[in-house]
Amino acid sequence: MITTFSTKTDSSCVIDGKNYSCLPLLMTSNEILEVQSDYLRELRVNRGLSPATVREISKYLRTHVHIMDSYGLSWEQTSETALRIWRNEQAGDNPSNSRRGYLNQQLIAIYRFLIWAEQKGIIQGVVGPLSPSKNTTYLLPVEITRWHKDGTSAIFKFPLLYRTVGESDRRNATASEVDELFVALANEQNPYLAERNSLIGRFAENTLMRRHELSELTISQLPSLEESKIARNDGNELTIHLHITKGMKARETVVDPQLVIDTWAFIKVNRANMLKCKNLPEHPNLPIFLSWRTGKKIHPDALTNLFSLKQKQAGIKRASLHNLRSKGATDRVESLINMYHINGTPQPDGETLLLQARELLGHASVETTRKYIRRENKRRLDHKRTEHKEITNHQEILKNVVVSAEQKEAFGLVKSHKVGDVVKLTKTQLTENETLAKDL
């Protein structure tokens, strides 16, 4: 069984006069996987993909090597049958939409790499050249545009991809699930870990910071304690300037002053005790959230593993670190729309609202923001439908109650042989029922 691992370049790696440290290098125990490493370098240097994206793709390429090796094949001998068996094993009996989407993402990355390798002449006949006559390849690529010799394009769907329909079934954590998660996060004998874990969860939900942004957050980026207390007393929010973000683009995010105050308390007590215990110096550029084991910044993957473990301990499924960010984003969009209703001002058109929400959430693409707007509008529509249904049911109940009272009185008149009064009562009461129903 082949063993692969990933290392990265250091600060001495300079390409075209620009420093490219942290470029992933894929290796086995015997050699460097040169083709995969060259592809990753091209993604970072020539195509400008972010380091986080390139690292994620490197994981998929390692998976690809392992899949083929398990069938006694090299990656150059990629087999659709092997990929299909691996996909089915990973998916299980009834994969969720999000699980199907994640597997699709891995398969797409693998096939884009294979197409690149074939275009470079490194492999032949694995993906195969596009045949204008049959519009097929040896192994169909995944939602990728291929070009005919006459310049026309053709887009194909890879048969190994799962079909994902409609909205993702990844739902936000409920309030009770969030509470249970925070109880699990704080369930540590070590006071440093208990407070650190809770603060990381609060930052994810309140500021919408991603895992690598949380791991890189330093003391120098925090507003001062005095500034935070003034903002809390005035009912204002504060701003944090982020430098290490998705796509390496600087952005700002708002933060609750009370969260900043609590973070300063953590820095001055539990975190300071941890540094003293580890005999480590403090400085402004040291990350706030440190690993207890190493005393260095906590790795983004460690954050993912931490929240996965705490989810299992709490017995919940929808309160991952990403779900906390998603819940916080939904809450912000809800507050934005509520602001217009509370102030009595007309809600702007769809695109204007979308741009406002994108700025609020810090998304690079409006398409990422659009799903939150759509989800909030659907929630409001469902709420209105529920209210209407409850009112309609209430009308029916009242109508039945009134009719029952009428029947009781009519029955009393029949027993006393006043049949004419029964007819008169029934007509009068039915008229009143109709009037009541209209009023409701």
Side-chain angles (χ1 to χ4, degrees):
M1 187 70 179
I2 194 170
T3 301
T4 66
F5 59 94
S6 177
T7 184
K8 57 187 177 182
T9 58
D10 56 23
S11 57
S12 64
C13 178
V14 178
I15 302 175
D16 295 333
K18 187 174 180 181
N19 182 279
Y20 282 97
S21 59
C22 300
L23 277 177
L25 291 174
L26 298 189
M27 305 180 67
T28 68
S29 54
N30 300 321
E31 60 181 354
I32 296 177
L33 295 172
E34 293 185 5
V35 179
Q36 286 83 347
S37 298
D38 288 346
Y39 176 66
L40 295 171
R41 183 177 68 246
E42 177 166 317
L43 294 180
R44 179 75 182 97
V45 177
N46 297 338
R47 303 188 193 180
L49 270 63
S50 70
T53 301
V54 175
R55 282 197 300 271
E56 196 67 20
I57 293 173
S58 72
K59 296 178 184 178
Y60 302 156
L61 297 187
R62 287 179 61 192
T63 299
H64 175 220
V65 173
H66 290 156
I67 296 169
M68 293 302 106
D69 181 68
S70 65
Y71 288 91
L73 303 173
S74 68
W75 70 266
E76 295 96 335
Q77 300 169 310
T78 296
S79 161
E80 180 181 331
T81 301
L83 287 176
R84 188 182 298 278
I85 294 173
W86 168 81
R87 180 204 68 177
N88 293 343
E89 290 175 348
Q90 296 295 312
D93 295 332
N94 188 24
S96 64
N97 246 8
S98 57
R99 183 61 180 168
R100 291 196 298 267
Y102 178 65
L103 292 171
N104 286 351
Q105 184 177 323
Q106 295 185 68
L107 290 167
I108 288 171
I110 291 170
Y111 264 75
R112 282 179 174 159
F113 161 69
L114 292 173
I115 289 172
W116 172 86
E118 191 162 272
Q119 290 172 342
K120 295 290 184 180
I122 300 170
I123 57 175
Q124 290 183 348
V126 176
V127 178
L130 184 64
S131 169
S133 60
K134 297 182 180 180
N135 277 356
T136 58
T137 61
Y138 296 114
L139 292 182
L140 293 178
V142 274
E143 290 285 16
I144 295 174
T145 301
R146 301 296 303 273
W147 301 93
H148 296 301
K149 291 183 178 179
D150 61 2
T152 58
S153 63
I155 299 179
F156 297 91
K157 286 187 177 180
F158 179 33
L160 287 182
L161 290 186
Y162 279 113
R163 176 176 170 80
T164 55
V165 183
E167 292 285 338
S168 169
D169 58 3
R170 175 186 284 159
R171 295 288 181 260
N172 291 339
T174 64
S176 62
E177 287 174 331
V178 170
D179 290 342
E180 291 173 11
L181 176 65
F182 276 103
V183 169
L185 287 170
N187 186 21
E188 297 279 357
Q189 293 183 349
N190 186 325
Y192 168 78
L193 293 178
E195 191 171 9
R196 183 203 67 180
N197 296 348
S198 298
L199 286 173
I200 290 173
R202 290 173 63 188
F203 264 96
E205 183 180 11
N206 182 253
T207 68
L208 313 186
M209 292 172 66
R210 299 174 177 87
R211 60 178 195 162
H212 64 279
E213 294 169 346
L214 288 166
S215 69
E216 297 281 353
L217 185 65
T218 63
I219 295 176
S220 60
Q221 292 175 268
L222 277 185
S224 68
L225 182 59
E226 293 73 18
E227 183 184 359
S228 303
K229 290 180 178 179
I230 293 172
R232 180 189 61 183
N233 296 336
D234 294 342
N236 298 326
E237 290 183 319
L238 295 170
T239 300
I240 293 179
H241 301 274
L242 302 175
H243 310 297
I244 308 298
T245 66
K246 187 175 182 179
M248 304 304 291
K249 297 178 182 177
R251 70 179 181 93
E252 295 180 349
T253 185
V254 296
V255 60
D256 180 10
Q258 185 59 53
L259 177 55
V260 179
I261 294 171
D262 294 343
T263 304
W264 276 112
F266 164 71
I267 291 170
K268 293 182 177 181
V269 182
N270 283 330
R271 185 175 175 278
N273 292 338
M274 188 276 287
L275 290 175
K276 185 177 179 180
C277 177
K278 301 288 184 180
N279 196 24
L280 296 172
E282 174 68 278
H283 57 83
N285 293 324
L286 189 66
I288 296 172
F289 304 118
L290 303 173
S291 166
W292 172 264
R293 183 174 61 84
T294 65
K296 299 179 180 180
K297 74 174 183 181
I298 188 168
H299 194 278
D301 288 346
L303 289 179
T304 301
N305 295 337
L306 169 65
F307 277 77
S308 296
L309 173 64
K310 294 302 181 180
Q311 271 190 198
K312 292 179 181 178
Q313 290 179 356
I316 53 181
K317 295 182 178 180
R318 299 182 299 186
S320 65
L321 186 60
H322 182 86
N323 286 134
L324 285 181
R325 288 186 61 247
S326 181
K327 180 179 182 299
T330 302
D331 292 343
R332 285 196 187 183
V333 170
E334 182 180 353
S335 299
L336 176 65
I337 296 176
N338 284 340
M339 179 185 68
Y340 290 104
H341 291 282
I342 293 172
N343 296 337
T345 55
Q347 183 174 313
D349 61 76
E351 290 304 312
T352 302
L353 182 66
L354 187 63
L355 293 174
Q356 290 177 348
R358 184 185 72 167
E359 185 70 20
L360 188 65
L361 303 183
H363 289 154
S365 170
V366 293
E367 294 306 316
T368 306
T369 311
R370 195 184 300 276
K371 66 182 181 181
Y372 289 98
I373 299 289
R374 188 186 302 121
R375 189 180 298 165
E376 176 59 18
N377 288 336
K378 182 178 182 299
R379 187 193 68 80
R380 289 173 179 270
L381 181 60
D382 290 344
H383 181 66
K384 287 182 179 179
R385 286 173 176 167
T386 302
E387 283 187 336
H388 177 72
K389 186 176 181 179
E390 289 176 351
I391 291 173
T392 304
N393 292 339
H394 188 57
Q395 290 174 346
E396 292 297 324
I397 291 172
L398 288 178
K399 187 175 180 180
N400 292 335
V401 168
V402 173
V403 170
S404 297
E406 169 211 339
Q407 291 172 341
K408 288 181 180 178
E409 189 172 351
F411 181 70
L413 293 174
V414 170
K415 288 182 68 176
S416 60
H417 307 289
K418 297 179 180 179
V419 180
D421 291 339
V422 172
V423 175
K424 182 178 179 181
L425 170 67
T426 303
K427 289 182 179 180
T428 303
Q429 194 63 55
L430 286 176
T431 302
E432 291 177 357
N433 289 348
E434 292 175 358
T435 304
L436 177 62
K438 290 179 181 178
D439 292 339
L440 288 172

